[in-house]
Amino acid sequence: MSEALRYLNNAKEILKSVPVEDNTYTDVKPVREAFGTAYLAILEAINEYLITKSGLTKKELPKSVEGYRSALQKHITVHNGKLMREFEMLYDALHIAGYYRGLIYNADAVKDYLKSAKVFIEKIK
């Protein structure tokens, strides 16, 4: 999980330089970048699990969100169904709302989602 945590730490580093006024990030572009990096941390954690615990090769890793959903169902959430809901929530928040649309820029909300990403990563170690 070291690579996944490295990505997550990079996301936090990106946010350190963004000005905050009234608990709101004033520059949305780096916040979007941080969300994109945090989402990649989630994918890296899943990749590491699939390689180390499920025996997949790098070539066999998922290449789309649908592929990640299938891999989660087949290899990981068999033992913990809540993880699938967490993945969906993080996909919607980090990738769609945070990165793709740039809709999340409240400092507390951003920090909460990054914490949720770390909890997800820790769960699939």
Side-chain angles (χ1 to χ4, degrees):
M1 291 301 138
S2 60
E3 191 68 11
L5 293 176
R6 190 178 90 142
Y7 274 70
L8 195 56
N9 287 333
N10 287 348
K12 292 175 184 177
E13 283 298 315
I14 292 166
L15 293 172
K16 285 183 179 179
S17 64
V18 184
V20 178
E21 284 181 21
D22 297 325
N23 203 38
T24 302
Y25 287 105
T26 58
D27 188 358
V28 176
K29 183 182 180 286
V31 175
R32 291 176 75 175
E33 182 182 347
F35 273 121
T37 305
Y39 177 65
L40 290 175
I42 297 293
L43 300 184
E44 282 298 318
I46 296 168
N47 289 345
E48 288 178 42
Y49 181 94
L50 293 173
I51 289 171
T52 60
K53 304 249 167 64
S54 297
L56 271 65
T57 66
K58 285 189 177 189
K59 284 188 174 187
E60 296 171 311
L61 291 175
K63 303 203 179 355
S64 67
V65 71
E66 288 302 322
Y68 278 99
R69 286 180 179 126
S70 296
L72 279 169
Q73 287 174 336
K74 183 176 180 182
H75 299 284
I76 301 172
T77 62
V78 170
H79 309 294
N80 186 347
K82 292 180 183 178
L83 281 175
M84 193 64 178
R85 284 192 301 275
E86 288 181 45
F87 174 78
E88 291 297 337
M89 182 275 299
L90 290 167
Y91 171 76
D92 288 343
L94 298 176
H95 186 64
I96 301 299
Y99 172 71
Y100 185 68
R101 295 196 178 137
L103 298 175
I104 303 171
Y105 41 86
N106 173 279
D108 290 336
V110 171
K111 290 173 188 170
D112 285 345
Y113 282 120
L114 293 183
K115 285 178 192 171
S116 294
K118 184 172 184 177
V119 168
F120 180 87
I121 291 167
E122 296 292 331
K123 283 182 182 178
I124 62 171
K125 270 187 170 182

